[in-house]
Amino acid sequence: MAGVHVSTTVNGDDVEFVCPGSESLLDVLRNRLGLTGAKEGCGTGDCGACSVTVDGQLVCACLMLGAEVEGRQVQTVEGMAQGDQLHPLQRQFIENAALQCGICTPGFLMAAKALLDRNPDPTETEIRYALAGNLCRCTGYDKIVRAVSATAKELSQEATTKGSKKR
Amino acid sequence: MTLDTQFTDQKFKLVGSRPDRPDGVDKVTGRARYGADASAPGQLVGAILRSPHAHAKIKKIDTSKAEKLKGVKAVITSADLPDLTNGNRGNYDILENCMARGRALYDGHAVAAVAAIDAETARRALSLISVDYKVLPHVTDVDAAMRSNAPIVQPHVRTAGGEPSDKPTNIAQISTFGHGDVEAGFAKADKIVEKSYKTEQTHQGYIEPHACLATVGPDGQGELWVTTQGHYTFRNLCASLLGMDIAKLKVTSSEIGGGFGGKTHVWMEPLALALSRKANRPVKLVMSREDVFRASGPTSSTSMDIKIGCTNDGRITAATATLRYQDGAFPGIWGMLGAMTAFACYDLENVQSVGYDVLVNRPKVAAYRAPSAPMAAFGVESTIDLLAAELNMDAVEFRLLNAAKEGTKASYGPTYGPIGIGPTLEAVKNHPHMHAPLGKNQGRGMACGFWFNFGGQTCTDLNIGVDGTVNMTVGTVDVGGARASLSLIAAEELGIPYEHVKCNIGDTASLGHNDTTEGSRGTFSSGMATIFAARNAIEELKSRAAKTWDIDPEEVDWVDGEAVAKGVEHSNLGPLSLAQIAKASPNTGGPIAGHSETVADGAGVSFASHICDVEVDPETGSTRVVRYTVVQDAGKAIHPDYVEGQFQGGAAQGIGWALNEEYIYGEDGRLQNPGFLDYRIPVCSDLPFIDTEILEIPNPNHPYGIRGVGETSIVPPLAAIANAVSNAAGVRMDHIPMSPPRIRKAIKAEAAMHQEVSAG
Amino acid sequence: MLEVQLSGTLRDAANGAASINIEAATIRELLRKVVEQYPRMAEKLEAGIAVSIDGNIFRDNWGEAIPAQAEIFLLPRIPGG
Amino acid sequence: MANAKGSAFLLAGGTDLLVRMKSGAIDPELIVDIKRIPATQAITKTASGFKIGAGVPCAQLGRDAALVKAWPGVVEAANLIGSDQVQGRCTVAGNLCNASPAADSVPAMVAARAKAAIVGAGGRRSVAVEKVVTGPGRTSLEKGEFIEAIVLPTPAPKSGDAYLRFTPRTEMDIAVCSAAVNLTLGPKGVVTAARVVLGAVAPTVVLVPAAAKAIIGSTLDDDALANLAAACEAACAPIDDKRGTVEFRTEVAGVLARRAAKLAYERAGGK
């Protein structure tokens, strides 16, 4: 198939690229835009290592065509930190030793962020089901679930403090 | 310089604390570079054509059409990989496994490879290669492969360790271990339990597929960026297979996205190098997930018979095991390892274990975390539970009564020094988990496990900057947080803050040879080399302080990160910190470094005991693990977070193996489930939190008492879960994985038997 | 004189013997004399071997001293995961 | 699309299409992304029920309170497909057109009497969902035809539906077998109407009238449930494959139908 010209936004920056119509968003991110944070663990949507968001919706970049992101907002793990400030999830993953080899970590961070954005106070079960699309083979998920829990707690305390300051 | 490896019961300031890992920020921001994350100018994309047949003669390969396709820069077959192995059968097997030589030995065996300007062209080129196969009869089951009429996988193989014979066979090796007189022992037994078991083949399931970027020029120089557990071993092997000089091939280990033994072997890296050499361009070669399942190295499927006898008061009098392990298409030592580990937890007067290594038309078996031990433990620990039930004795008490201890002659031969099996069992006995109530359809099980652990060749370099910070280079790959542990050790020895140490994994041009990071050796061996390198640097620091003070180096001590002049005559000399000595180093003799090139031997054996609660839905056979506890001896936990992580990860892999993971082959000898949808590794919602208890019984052969911790945690789960499921469902499970259909079948068979008994 | 116990398929190379007697003070000397007595052991050594001295397993360090009366096992070299 | 020389495919969520492209099973000449058509992106409440556009991701079904209230079983089924990542992309129309016997949403849609709104060169037509799939990977759609929406009726008063599947893992799995039940209650909790549908036990999903008959007129007592399960088992014609055996699928289909019926009964207000 012929190349498709695509204009889109990735991590807040305007980006243009040309890719074959059949090329996945994951290949576009990794091979054309140099964003190798999203990983290919399976290529079939079964491991979640390529998780990114498109218009706020969590997706597997391997199951989406590059051509589909025309005019959309793509967010990847590379856009998670604000300048030199790590996102609380990123910090909690380090502090809780929630990664060993780290290959699944970008996908988990994106999925965990999507969870906390829609449910700021998830139970352990809600966390486990929300992260079920992300495979980790090193940790047994124990410290990952704890890191997400700790982040939720941290963010809710922050919100309370901010709220009381406003008052 | 102190090179004493003996444990000294040193008091620690940093070791045992839990600082942030030094590679954390890279890994949470997506910056860390793994196997597939590197690229080079002018890089080509490699792709491999694989056999669709389990066993076939390759009559002809026609690559001419592929070579003519625009954008194709190199096509290779085995003809491009001449045999340079010089009679080394082990290396020949590796070469043949990387690329079929006249015969395809399993579904997925590589037969040709291409390098092209992009993935699409490479894919089209593969479709243009025509291979003329003559399909041969195949065998994939271990028991079927042992029958006298089975198709022969490797015609040159004769059984080692058995009766001498000149008949081709699939039994590559028979290994016998044990001592005493088992017949006499069984004669003394009041109770004997004998049972057969089976386990299916599983894969390590690392999330990162094999990937590399190879560059070789016509000058015979090359570079390889690769995800591996052992870049030095890869270098030596690739250089040897391709006829390159070891010094001219630089191998860099990328960040590794999981290995668990599967990345200790080369699978396709020599092909990437050969393609690059032929095209004279860099070649990136990445396996798909399907390739990983079909053509890297899973663990053995097994079939075994276990027999154990004991007296009425619970003392085991004799034990035997016959263990049949399949090695895939190339001879290995996996049955032998099963035989060595099977009874290692127990103090036995009469014991014999026999391991069979059997060839089948499946991919070459590779190490998987304490290779071979989990299956043997499943058979033995299930039988131990059955025997305890016959005796009406508590299963933990029965194990404690028979547990190996210091001075026990191990079933694989040597006599144990101080070991941790007894203490882990005591800890299990007293653990609240053992006394918690169980719900409806729930059952509890426990089991023990053993693994050897190794050391090996290891180098560490330690360079001290003029600001007093320390750049450390090690040669073992960091598979799960080792850089944090090794930085703690360096900081501890030098008496400086953890944050002042930066630990790097060196490429093969930076250090001498390091053995592969396997056998739970990373923290044990590089920890030892780091201690020696630091002590070496301290000697230099003391001599620089002596020069500064113009006194004899013998008169300088090293105390808490500072040089101190000894004796009252020097009491006017204030201490010199590491930073102060480093700052003056340009004028006291130049850069200050410490290094160690050593063989870290004497890794202590390791034991674990696990407790597991499961809930079984009797109508569907569905099983959920509801509580899990790991108790394991770590010798000394350097960074407890990552020790716990190893315990939890091993248990989780064991849970997957026990319940759902298996290679499923069709009648045609093709793998039916080469993907993460149907090869079901546990997802987050499948598991509970996994509790851990770290015991610290120092290894006498390590200055800090470290034992390896990476592997033993996968040994007990199969058995612990089988015991729990058997207690929950009221039927003994003898086939792993205990998938819902197998559990339902067992429940129904048991019910039918009861009906028969009550009717009779 | 050390009584060196042989495990597994190593016995094949020693004509089936379960143990052999050798006078040696280091692993290097031990292995040299084993091959002198049983030339077929050379192949096994090439494939990889480990020596257990009083229960401690040494894979590579041939300079390791062997105490008199030590318990010695020759084991095949073992890989790990 | 009808004019494409080679194969042409419609892209809705793409969660099956891209996997098939990657494996080399298909090599499309043309891919048409229907999500850019606004009408395919909405769930509309109509006088007679709900219209779910072909591009609506399954996750959106779970966020539509009215739909969840009316057809909890259908929504449950749609929300079992894959992970959150897949949920954000996959569609019930795509799940139907992929024509897998194990598709999660299809038994629930059939039980709910859902219809597929089909568009083609020859105009529009409406077909019962159970008539769309004719075998594994095969549909009754003509070349150039596609499904623009799935239409669900308004449930009768005192109705309830439920869908249960069996998978070895808790998530990220394909149904080994499944059962959907949609039933309506009369006075005193007596079942007056029912539809029972099984998945992954035959080349297509199976509507089991005998199973419905077994519970109609009952208050879902143990005998009725046993008869329901027996009727379901009798309707199974599964295969042995990597995901399950004939024996296992057959008996577990009965178990699931029993459990789904109880759940649907509760949802309908039965006690």
Side-chain angles (χ1 to χ4, degrees), chain B residues 161 337 367 413-415 601 701 711, chain C residues 12 52 55-56 59 61 71 78 80-81:
Chain B
L337 284 179
T415 304
D601 251 334
N701 302 311
E711 293 173 285
Chain C
D12 277 9
S52 165
N56 295 318
R59 292 206 304 177
N61 199 358
E71 177 204 69
I78 301 162

Side-chain angles (χ1 to χ4, degrees), chain D residues 48-133:
Chain D
S48 58
F50 297 87
K51 190 171 164 193
I52 303 167
V56 173
C58 287
Q60 202 175 318
L61 272 57
R63 292 195 290 262
D64 189 313
L67 185 65
V68 172
K69 188 160 183 288
W71 293 108
V74 172
V75 174
E76 245 163 26
N79 287 348
L80 277 171
I81 304 167
S83 57
D84 281 8
Q85 286 87 332
V86 171
Q87 281 288 305
R89 299 271 297 155
C90 68
T91 64
V92 285
N95 197 220
L96 177 61
C97 291
N98 193 48
S100 159
D104 281 313
S105 68
V106 180
M109 289 197 289
V110 172
R113 298 185 181 85
K115 288 194 160 56
I118 297 171
V119 188
R124 290 186 150 75
R125 63 190 179 111
S126 173
V127 173
V129 161
E130 58 267 36
K131 304 280 186 211
V132 173
V133 179

Side-chain angles (χ1 to χ4, degrees), chain B residues 121-140:
Chain B
T121 310
R123 195 177 67 80
R124 290 195 191 284
L126 289 188
S127 70
L128 294 173
I129 298 173
S130 87
V131 185
D132 189 5
Y133 292 103
K134 179 178 188 260
V135 177
L136 301 171
H138 66 271
V139 60
T140 55

Side-chain angles (χ1 to χ4, degrees), chain B residues 342-370:
Chain B
F343 292 112
C345 290
Y346 297 102
D347 180 10
L348 303 172
E349 208 179 316
N350 307 297
V351 58
Q352 188 185 63
S353 51
V354 185
Y356 289 80
D357 276 290
V358 183
L359 302 177
V360 297
N361 295 109
R362 294 195 190 204
K364 181 178 105 161
V365 165
Y368 178 13
R369 205 170 199 159

Side-chain angles (χ1 to χ4, degrees), chain A residues 4-156:
Chain A
V4 182
H5 179 262
V6 178
S7 304
T8 187
T9 306
V10 179
N11 297 330
D13 296 327
D14 291 343
V15 169
E16 286 183 52
F17 58 86
V18 176
C19 72
S22 59
E23 190 165 300
S24 72
L25 173 61
L26 180 59
D27 284 343
V28 167
L29 290 172
R30 290 180 54 84
N31 301 335
R32 296 187 191 277
L33 305 181
L35 295 170
T36 56
K39 309 296 179 189
E40 178 164 325
C42 68
T44 51
D46 298 311
C47 79
C50 64
S51 298
V52 299
T53 61
V54 176
D55 287 352
Q57 172 66 55
L58 186 70
V59 298
C60 287
C62 74
L63 289 188
M64 192 162 180
L65 296 175
E68 286 183 83
V69 299
E70 170 71 37
R72 310 251 189 239
Q73 299 277 338
V74 180
Q75 280 285 320
T76 72
V77 72
E78 286 93 341
M80 209 166 166
Q82 296 297 313
D84 66 353
Q85 289 298 302
L86 293 182
H87 186 279
L89 272 167
Q90 293 175 308
R91 195 164 29 71
Q92 290 284 3
F93 264 59
I94 297 174
E95 286 172 6
N96 285 277
L99 54 142
Q100 284 178 32
C101 82
I103 192 92
C104 68
T105 307
F108 268 98
L109 288 168
M110 296 306 291
K113 184 168 182 296
L115 166 68
L116 297 184
D117 285 349
R118 92 179 118 81
N119 178 1
D121 186 23
T123 63
E124 182 205 333
T125 305
E126 285 168 343
I127 294 172
R128 288 190 180 276
Y129 276 85
L131 299 180
N134 295 75
L135 297 181
C136 169
R137 194 59 158 171
C138 293
T139 64
Y141 306 104
D142 187 292
K143 293 181 193 298
I144 294 176
V145 175
R146 290 179 199 279
V148 176
S149 260
T151 310
K153 217 166 274 158
E154 180 188 328
L155 290 174
S156 76

Side-chain angles (χ1 to χ4, degrees), chain B residues 269-500:
Chain B
E269 295 76 9
L271 305 185
L273 289 162
L275 284 167
S276 173
R277 180 163 66 182
K278 195 164 182 178
N280 191 18
R281 302 244 312 243
V283 173
K284 184 159 162 179
L285 189 56
V286 181
M287 275 197 185
S288 68
R289 177 55 52 185
E290 183 179 333
D291 289 346
V292 173
F293 276 113
R294 288 167 75 207
S296 65
T299 188
S300 307
S301 55
T302 71
S303 139
M304 51 200 159
D305 313 316
I306 312 290
K307 182 178 175 186
I308 307 176
C310 67
T311 57
N312 281 330
D313 57 2
R315 199 46 221 172
I316 296 175
T317 58
T320 61
T322 304
L323 307 151
R324 298 168 291 269
Y325 282 50
Q326 58 88 356
D327 291 351
F330 299 94
I333 41 98
W334 312 111
M336 179 193 85
L337 284 179
M340 289 177 82
T341 57
F343 292 112
C345 290
Y346 297 102
D347 180 10
L348 303 172
E349 208 179 316
N350 307 297
V351 58
Q352 188 185 63
S353 51
V354 185
Y356 289 80
D357 276 290
V358 183
L359 302 177
V360 297
N361 295 109
R362 294 195 190 204
K364 181 178 105 161
V365 165
Y368 178 13
R369 205 170 199 159
S372 300
M375 305 83 125
F378 161 59
V380 168
E381 292 292 294
S382 295
T383 311
I384 291 275
D385 251 34
L386 285 169
L387 207 49
E390 290 253 325
L391 290 166
N392 271 324
M393 189 182 269
D394 176 73
V396 181
E397 286 297 341
F398 182 49
R399 285 176 173 87
L400 268 167
L401 197 57
N402 292 286
K405 50 193 169 294
E406 185 165 2
T408 292
K409 186 174 169 55
S411 55
Y412 59 90
T415 304
Y416 287 127
I419 53 171
I421 179 65
T424 65
L425 281 166
E426 289 287 352
V428 160
K429 190 174 140 181
N430 299 320
H431 200 286
H433 184 169
M434 278 312 270
H435 310 287
L438 286 166
K440 195 183 169 206
N441 292 327
Q442 294 185 347
R444 178 169 297 143
M446 64 80 52
C448 307
F450 158 90
W451 182 244
F452 292 101
N453 298 333
F454 315 123
Q457 299 179 74
T458 313
C459 307
T460 295
D461 274 10
L462 217 147
N463 288 292
I464 300 176
V466 286
D467 62 351
T469 61
V470 173
N471 203 307
M472 176 163 75
T473 305
V474 302
T476 47
V477 174
D478 181 351
V479 294
R483 274 166 289 197
S485 305
L486 298 174
S487 299
L488 274 172
I489 292 174
E492 181 79 49
E493 283 296 316
L494 294 168
I496 58 174
Y498 167 80
E499 293 74 20
H500 286 193

